[in-house]
Amino acid sequence: MTTLLLIRHGQSQANLNGLFAGQLNPPLTELGVQQAQRTAEFIKAHYQVDKVYASDLSRAARTGQAVADNLGLPLKTDTSLREINAGQWEGISFERLAQDYPEDYGVWLADIGNSRPTGGESVAELAQRNEKALTAIATENPEKTVAVAIHAIPIRSIQWRLSGEPLSYMTQIPWVTNASVTELFFEDGVFRLGKVAQDEHLADLITTLPKTV
């Protein structure tokens, strides 16, 4: 069995400013760096990690680097692990999205699984891309434990994919917190979830997306 530890990146500047980042490249905030370091310590204390991967976007790569450095391992970045391509929404505040893209953003809020950011990648397309990338990592690392620093929508999408429910079910899956750790097991070509959104180690550093997103 292969274990993937899906780590949502620490708080980014876009998170702090209430912006939809998508595939833009905002850095971690100072708090985000602290979250990444605390999660790196948690992983070292609780898992025997063999490899560390990350999305190449700065907020995830910096989070993954903290884990890799703490374990004395190299970091491998992968563009296929990126957050959703949000098209015209990237860099826009959530408040402005509601004003400027009321129809498309309304679908996002009401039925995220069946939504598509204006001019961007659909959530269904992101889910397919994400599962393919994670399957490749798991297949390349049989019987190993791999830390993967990634983004919020990819983690939510893999939870949906494993639920067996229609895309509309994704609205019932909450966002994971920044720098939380979700276990994903891969055996005989099949994924299953373990512990989801472990964040107790973050204590007073916990942050998440606002409920209006």
Side-chain angles (χ1 to χ4, degrees), residues 112-113 123 127 153 156-157 160 166-174:
I112 187 172
V123 172
I153 303 173
R156 196 174 186 182
S157 76
W160 161 71
L167 274 164
S168 57
Y169 178 75
M170 198 181 295
T171 59
Q172 301 182 45
I173 299 172

Side-chain angles (χ1 to χ4, degrees), residues 198-213:
Q198 298 177 87
D199 61 8
E200 295 86 354
H201 60 281
L202 294 168
D204 58 322
L205 301 185
I206 290 176
T207 55
T208 189
L209 286 166
K211 294 181 180 180
T212 54
V213 176

Side-chain angles (χ1 to χ4, degrees), residues 9 12 14-15 19-27 55-61 78-92 108 117-123 125-127 129-130 133 150-154:
H9 61 78
S12 71
N15 293 151
L19 306 178
F20 200 119
Q23 294 190 1
L24 293 182
N25 215 10
S55 157
D56 68 321
L57 296 176
S58 175
R59 56 197 187 274
D78 186 342
T79 59
S80 64
L81 295 171
R82 286 184 173 190
E83 182 57 283
I84 194 168
N85 177 345
Q88 297 173 35
W89 295 7
E90 295 189 349
I92 306 299
W108 176 273
T118 309
E121 179 180 30
S122 74
V123 172
E125 290 165 347
L126 174 279
R129 168 169 64 83
N130 183 49
I150 198 167
H151 304 269
I153 303 173

